[in-house]
């Protein structure tokens, strides 16, 4: 792929990740608040990617990173991303925004922020995990290890998320119990503490905001059961158009994770896709399938491949496809192939 040096960043032109122009809007407003004129932003953007922002729907993330780096350099304000909070509005999320705001509770809304996140960008994913007494919302940058997101971009994403929560429940405006950031600790953390609370940690593997589970059941003033069905149907259709069906997403997840010997549970798959286990189950049931069937099918295909096309031991293959005991793997092979693992291999080797 072609490689360019833009500012201090290496930018590879192939397989670039992008962000929707609607999500980019709060970034522009935050920069304008700091004296960076919009025409300068768009001129810089056009210089980088040669597109008409007025008609384009997505912008390459590398260009967004470059603009934010430039803004920090021009203003001398490393916290410029936090100003995106003031411009956080669900309208910038399009169909997903309406599905989120019509949710019955803040918990459902947060799960939908994660589920519909691919409509905003393919450069990151959000997961929501419920643990005893807390909810963990994590953000993972993906696809561009050679081009890590700058602090200003990470701050803006976290600030937009907090802003959306405060927009949905303005009478509460919950703050995280703790927040983890993947960059070094700044000299001044006062603004971060104002927005994310006093329990901050840095140099983390990824962004994580931890909230009390009490916020999950907070009712939304914008809840609307009738419109919720319509908005979710439309947003789901958009998601399927770019991601494929839930069944296809699970098949991709299993075919990627299982060969690495990673445990593959419904909860893990749901977290990977930014859904709750229940919502994933419901989505699969609507397609006439379920996680157990898809997991078993993936196990069968991988076991057959490893038995016939590798010299791996039976114990290794059993563990890889999710069986701790060889006896359980043996029974599964009899069910799948009508033959034991050893018999299947012998049949392959006896072929002329």
């Amino acid at each position: 792929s072609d490689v360019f040096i833009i500012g201090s960043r290496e930018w590879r032109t192939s397989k670039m990740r992008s962000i929707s122009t609607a999500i980019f809007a709060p970034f522009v407003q935050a920069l304008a608040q700091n004296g960076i004129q919009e025409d300068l932003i768009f001129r810089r953007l056009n210089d980088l990617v040669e597109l008409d922002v007025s008609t384009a729907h997505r912008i390459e993330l590398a260009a967004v990173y470059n603009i934010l780096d430039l803004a920090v350099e021009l203003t001398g304000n490393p916290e410029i991303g936090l100003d995106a909070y003031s411009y956080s509005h669900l309208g910038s999320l399009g169909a997903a925004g309406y599905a989120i705001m019509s949710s019955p509770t803040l918990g459902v809304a947060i799960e939908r922020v994660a589920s519909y996140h691919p409509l905003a960008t393919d450069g990151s994913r959000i997961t929501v995990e419920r643990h005893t007494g807390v909810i963990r919302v994590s953000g993972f940058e993906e696809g561009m290890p050679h081009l890590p997101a700058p602090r200003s971009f990470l701050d803006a994403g976290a600030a937009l998320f907090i802003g959306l929560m405060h927009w949905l429940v303005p009478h509460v405006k919950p703050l995280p119990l703790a927040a983890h950031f993947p960059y070094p600790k700044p000299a001044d953390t006062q603004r971060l503490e104002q927005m994310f609370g006093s329990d901050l940690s840095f140099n983390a593997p990824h962004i994580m905001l931890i909230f009390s589970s009490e916020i999950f059941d907070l009712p939304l003033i914008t809840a609307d059961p009738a419109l919720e069905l319509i908005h979710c149907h439309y947003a789901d259709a958009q998601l399927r158009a770019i991601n494929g069906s839930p069944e296809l997403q699970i098949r991709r997840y299993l075919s990627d994770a299982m060969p690495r010997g990673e445990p593959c549970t419904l909860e893990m798959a749901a977290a990977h896709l930014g859904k709750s286990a229940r919502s994933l189950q419901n989505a699969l049931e609507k397609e006439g399938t379920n996680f157990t069937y898809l997991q078993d099918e993936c196990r069968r295909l991988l076991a057959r491949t490893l038995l016939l096309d590798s010299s791996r031991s039976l114990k290794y293959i059993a563990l890889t496809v999710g069986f701790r005991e060889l006896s359980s793997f043996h029974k599964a092979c009899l069910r799948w192939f009508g033959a034991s693992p050893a018999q299947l291999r012998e049949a392959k080797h006896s072929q002329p």
Side-chain angles (χ1 to χ4, degrees), residues 26-37 41 64-87 150-157 159-160 183 186 188 191-192 195-196:
F27 289 71
V28 174
Q29 292 170 304
L31 299 188
Q33 176 181 323
N34 284 268
I36 307 294
Q37 297 180 356
I41 297 170
V64 175
Y65 292 176
N66 183 267
I67 289 169
L68 290 172
D69 283 344
L70 177 64
V72 170
E73 181 181 342
L74 291 175
T75 62
N77 177 15
E79 299 176 329
I80 198 168
L82 297 176
D83 291 325
Y85 170 88
S86 301
Y87 306 100
R151 177 197 165 181
S152 52
F153 182 85
L154 297 170
D155 281 351
L160 286 172
Y183 50 77
D188 184 355
R191 285 201 65 197
L192 287 170
M195 189 168 295
F196 303 106

Side-chain angles (χ1 to χ4, degrees), residues 20-344:
S20 73
T21 51
I23 291 296
F24 183 58
F27 289 71
V28 174
Q29 292 170 304
L31 299 188
Q33 176 181 323
N34 284 268
I36 307 294
Q37 297 180 356
E38 289 190 20
D39 61 342
L40 172 62
I41 297 170
F42 291 129
R43 280 204 311 273
R44 180 67 168 173
L45 190 59
N46 284 321
D47 288 343
L48 294 174
V49 294
E50 298 182 356
L51 55 75
D52 182 355
V53 179
S54 64
T55 59
H57 297 294
R58 302 185 78 85
I59 304 170
E60 290 179 355
L61 270 175
V64 175
Y65 292 176
N66 183 267
I67 289 169
L68 290 172
D69 283 344
L70 177 64
V72 170
E73 181 181 342
L74 291 175
T75 62
N77 177 15
E79 299 176 329
I80 198 168
L82 297 176
D83 291 325
Y85 170 88
S86 301
Y87 306 100
S88 183
H89 191 283
L90 284 163
S92 64
L93 298 179
Y98 293 109
I100 293 164
M101 73 173 68
S102 60
S103 302
T105 64
L106 184 59
V108 174
I110 290 173
E111 289 180 340
R112 286 178 179 163
V113 169
S115 296
Y116 295 132
H117 186 66
L119 296 177
T121 178
D122 59 358
S124 61
R125 62 184 171 91
I126 296 175
T127 65
V128 181
E129 300 173 278
R130 296 192 69 171
H131 297 270
T132 304
V134 298
I135 303 161
R136 296 175 181 172
V137 181
S138 302
F140 301 86
E141 303 301 311
E142 293 190 325
M144 299 197 299
H146 59 282
L147 192 66
R151 177 197 165 181
S152 52
F153 182 85
L154 297 170
D155 281 351
L160 286 172
F161 181 81
I162 294 292
L164 290 179
M165 290 182 62
H166 291 182
W167 191 92
L168 289 166
V169 284
H171 53 295
V172 178
K173 292 189 175 181
L175 287 179
L177 299 175
H180 307 292
F181 298 93
Y183 50 77
K185 183 178 180 179
D188 184 355
T189 61
Q190 183 176 353
R191 285 201 65 197
L192 287 170
E193 291 177 17
Q194 290 173 349
M195 189 168 295
F196 303 106
S198 59
D199 188 357
L200 307 179
S201 64
F202 300 90
N203 292 313
H206 55 265
I207 278 187
M208 179 188 291
L209 304 179
I210 303 174
F211 298 91
S212 167
S213 59
E214 294 176 358
I215 71 168
F216 222 72
D217 296 323
L218 290 174
L220 302 191
I221 59 174
T222 53
D224 190 319
L227 290 178
E228 180 185 15
L229 292 173
I230 298 171
H231 294 323
C232 287
H233 179 76
Y234 184 56
D236 287 343
Q238 289 189 327
L239 197 59
R240 285 194 297 272
I242 64 169
N243 267 353
S245 67
E247 177 182 347
L248 180 58
Q249 293 178 63
I250 291 299
R251 288 186 182 276
R252 285 182 191 146
Y253 164 75
L254 292 172
S255 63
D256 180 52
M258 198 174 289
R260 296 199 296 262
E262 297 178 3
C264 301
T265 66
L266 173 64
E267 290 73 20
M268 290 175 176
H272 179 78
L273 299 179
K275 299 176 180 288
S276 68
R278 181 179 298 178
S279 64
L280 177 57
Q281 271 184 320
N282 292 338
L284 291 173
E285 286 174 2
K286 288 179 181 177
E287 297 189 339
T289 189
N290 58 68
F291 182 80
T292 300
Y293 171 80
L294 296 176
Q295 183 186 52
D296 190 68
E297 179 71 3
C298 187
R299 282 174 165 171
R300 182 183 68 82
L301 293 173
L302 180 58
R304 183 179 181 86
T305 298
L306 291 175
L307 286 168
L308 299 182
D309 299 325
S310 83
S311 58
R312 293 288 191 177
S313 69
L314 297 184
K315 184 177 181 180
Y316 174 91
I317 297 173
L319 288 172
T320 299
V321 299
F323 294 98
R324 293 183 179 180
E325 302 294 335
L326 274 175
S327 59
S328 299
F329 180 53
H330 183 93
K331 291 176 183 177
C333 286
L334 289 175
R335 174 169 56 86
W336 290 331
F337 313 120
S340 69
Q343 289 171 337
L344 197 66

